[in-house]
Amino acid sequence: MRLLVKSLTLCLVLSQCFTAPSKHKEEHGKNDKEHGHDLHHDAKLDRCAGIEYDAVTANDEGVLYFFKGDHMFKGFHGKAEMSNKTFHELDDHHHLGHIDAAFRMQSDSPDHHHHQFFFLDNKVFSYNKHKLEEGYPKVISEVFPGIPNNLDAAVECPKPECPEDTAVFFKGNNIYHFDMKTKKVDEKEFKSMPNCTAAFRYMGHYYCLHEHQFSKFDPNTAEVHGKYPKMTRDYFMRCSHFGNKSVEDNIKREQCSRVHLDAITSDDDGNIYAFRGHHFLSRTGDQFHSDTIASAFKEVHGEVDSVFSHEGHFYIIKDDQVFVYKVGEPHTHLEGYPKPLKEVLGIEGPVDAAFVCSGHHIVHVIKGQKIYDVDLKATPPAPVKERTITTFKKIDTAMCGPKGVTVVIGNHYYNYQSVMTMLMGRIMPEQHKVSKDLFGCDH
């Protein structure tokens, strides 16, 4: 009899003896195996090897928690630890699977202020200062009516970034805006938005993680602006074998990377400066140099949208601001900058590319398929001509140098003799590789 009781107890604990796993769990298990991770208890997770995270949220101090299986990473460096070390009660519900989604609500309402919500299958857990609130876990429909089970991702959107304190939920192509006060749900389908496996808010910006990459998006419209996707580990992980490489390794990495460029420019002498993520690569003749943007342009703080050179100065465009540096060793940040993009160029952001051809004072600014000519000598500066680019739907960056106009898309570029040739041409010019033909990598 004792043997029978023990056997039945073991079966109930495992919860696999009589019930087949759900399709949702099977799919997650398949994904976990495909990524080569043993996710239970003794898992050896390496954040620098590239991980598709299940959920991301912040604590009360703004430190991000990255969840994978029953493990979590705290902040941008350090090893994985069991999630139940911080959120003890999650260990009592292993049969629910891994965390599907999570967010921390910043709200004026005392009911939700600084509460962390975790979603597992059809359950939601609410924590306040790492303690599970009384009565939880609850079914999702009880706390968030109209929100489906088995979510892909979730993120908070406090006022005034959203009209009201809102939780944004993701499942497949559907996005749900949940008003935390009225509990009204606005459901939309965004096929252009990547299917997020996790989402989070950091320093007022919103990020959707998908596979090993991320895209920055607008929480109200779900539109992605800028040059995305980008690699998650290059921005949100501090990895010794990425950040502390030798100078030669850093140069080789930037030369041979196939990740698209954020910006590129050429000065009057034909020297090239390319910007990607938090790094830049310069080429003077056959000599290459690579460093972080913060080391050479410390006022910029992170990735840039576009860069152009004019009369011995770099104009760096980031969001709706323009930074200007006098070229030298070191580059000198001009007093009074940054200034609004509207004030400097007379146009609104965001900007995809901008370039000036040597000996000219017209900066050509590309936004989508529009190109604007702005006279830098005019006061105040303003677009003097607007035209349409028909050859390309989306340009990552562009520059003008001794060989004419270079248009960069992904890891490829195209050369044109002039801006007019680029606009009037109907036949695509020869395609070249950025890594191989522009930066001399062997592939």
Side-chain angles (χ1 to χ4, degrees):
M1 183 67 179
R2 287 183 180 179
L3 180 60
L4 176 61
V5 171
K6 287 183 179 180
S7 298
L8 289 174
T9 302
L10 178 60
C11 285
L12 289 172
V13 170
L14 293 175
S15 67
Q16 298 292 329
C17 294
F18 305 110
T19 306
S22 68
K23 181 181 179 182
H24 181 70
K25 293 171 190 170
E26 285 179 347
E27 289 175 350
H28 281 299
K30 180 182 178 183
N31 288 338
D32 294 337
K33 289 179 180 178
E34 285 176 351
H35 286 84
H37 297 308
D38 174 14
L39 299 178
H40 192 69
H41 296 293
D42 296 326
K44 303 296 183 182
L45 297 177
D46 181 3
R47 66 164 82 213
C48 297
I51 293 176
E52 182 179 334
Y53 293 100
D54 299 324
V56 183
T57 187
N59 67 7
D60 290 349
E61 288 74 42
V63 176
L64 291 177
Y65 291 168
F66 297 83
F67 294 88
K68 183 64 177 178
D70 50 13
H71 284 70
M72 63 183 286
F73 296 94
K74 293 182 178 179
F76 297 152
H77 59 87
K79 296 181 179 180
E81 61 182 58
M82 293 295 296
S83 303
N84 58 45
K85 287 181 62 178
T86 303
F87 303 98
H88 304 292
E89 295 81 4
L90 293 180
D91 195 40
D92 299 331
H93 300 272
H94 272 211
H95 63 281
L96 292 175
H98 65 71
I99 296 172
D100 293 324
F103 72 88
R104 170 181 172 270
M105 194 65 228
Q106 299 183 46
S107 171
D108 294 333
S109 169
D111 295 334
H112 301 120
H113 185 60
H114 289 182
H115 289 199
Q116 290 174 300
F117 293 96
F118 296 93
F119 299 83
L120 289 78
D121 289 356
N122 67 335
K123 300 290 185 181
V124 58
F125 296 69
S126 178
Y127 282 85
N128 187 8
K129 299 186 183 300
H130 296 168
K131 292 183 179 180
L132 185 68
E133 293 192 273
E134 186 176 351
Y136 284 87
K138 299 179 180 181
V139 294
I140 293 174
S141 59
E142 179 183 350
V143 184
F144 297 93
I147 300 302
N149 299 329
N150 301 323
L151 292 162
D152 292 330
V155 65
E156 72 277 8
C157 184
K159 293 171 61 176
E161 294 168 18
C162 279
E164 300 294 339
D165 290 328
T166 302
V168 185
F169 296 93
F170 302 80
K171 185 170 182 177
N173 290 328
N174 294 325
I175 297 180
Y176 305 81
H177 286 80
F178 183 91
D179 189 312
M180 296 294 291
K181 184 176 182 180
T182 66
K183 297 186 181 298
K184 179 183 176 182
V185 179
D186 182 19
E187 179 183 353
K188 295 181 181 179
E189 185 178 11
F190 291 96
K191 293 184 178 180
S192 60
M193 179 78 175
N195 287 351
C196 304
T197 57
F200 63 96
R201 175 181 178 271
Y202 182 65
M203 298 184 70
H205 296 289
Y206 293 80
Y207 300 94
C208 160
L209 303 187
H210 39 97
E211 296 183 345
H212 302 152
Q213 299 176 311
F214 74 93
S215 296
K216 188 163 67 174
F217 69 97
D218 185 320
N220 292 287
T221 65
E223 293 179 351
V224 176
H225 299 294
K227 303 175 179 69
Y228 293 95
K230 298 177 180 178
M231 294 297 291
T232 303
R233 67 185 180 190
D234 291 346
Y235 287 79
F236 298 107
M237 303 296 146
R238 293 173 186 161
C239 304
S240 59
H241 52 286
F242 285 108
N244 296 329
K245 286 185 175 183
S246 67
V247 173
E248 292 78 10
D249 286 340
N250 284 329
I251 292 174
K252 192 69 174 177
R253 179 196 64 196
E254 293 302 321
Q255 279 182 268
C256 300
S257 174
R258 297 186 182 183
V259 178
H260 65 73
L261 297 174
D262 294 327
I264 192 169
T265 188
S266 175
D267 61 21
D268 293 343
D269 297 324
N271 302 319
I272 294 175
Y273 302 83
F275 297 76
R276 178 191 288 116
H278 290 185
H279 294 78
F280 75 94
L281 175 72
S282 64
R283 191 190 78 184
T284 304
D286 294 328
Q287 298 297 313
F288 289 88
H289 171 73
S290 180
D291 211 333
T292 62
I293 294 174
S295 67
F297 310 98
K298 63 180 181 180
E299 292 81 7
V300 175
H301 303 298
E303 69 269 27
V304 305
D305 295 331
S306 182
V307 179
F308 66 89
S309 307
H310 180 60
E311 296 184 343
H313 292 81
F314 286 134
Y315 289 72
I316 299 178
I317 302 173
K318 179 179 174 64
D319 298 326
D320 60 350
Q321 293 186 312
V322 179
F323 301 76
V324 180
Y325 290 83
K326 184 178 180 180
V327 178
E329 293 294 339
H331 306 305
T332 306
H333 182 244
L334 294 195
E335 187 176 352
Y337 287 89
K339 293 182 179 180
L341 177 62
K342 181 71 174 179
E343 179 182 337
V344 178
L345 297 182
I347 62 174
E348 302 283 354
V351 168
D352 295 322
F355 59 90
V356 178
C357 294
S358 179
H360 296 264
H361 53 83
I362 299 294
V363 56
H364 306 280
V365 182
I366 298 175
K367 295 177 58 175
Q369 288 187 278
K370 295 291 185 181
I371 182 168
Y372 303 85
D373 293 351
V374 179
D375 188 347
L376 291 174
K377 298 295 185 182
T379 305
V384 295
K385 190 179 292 184
E386 175 185 335
R387 291 167 288 182
T388 301
I389 302 170
T390 58
T391 313
F392 306 105
K393 290 184 178 180
K394 178 70 174 176
I395 291 174
D396 286 333
T397 186
M399 67 176 178
C400 189
K403 295 183 179 180
V405 177
T406 300
V407 174
V408 182
I409 301 174
N411 187 39
H412 296 94
Y413 70 91
Y414 308 85
N415 278 333
Y416 293 91
Q417 290 183 343
S418 65
V419 176
M420 187 59 66
T421 305
M422 179 184 72
L423 293 171
M424 299 298 293
R426 293 293 180 267
I427 300 176
M428 288 284 289
E430 182 182 357
Q431 186 184 79
H432 302 273
K433 279 192 174 182
V434 172
S435 56
K436 182 178 180 180
D437 301 323
L438 195 61
F439 295 138
C441 189
D442 58 3
H443 61 276

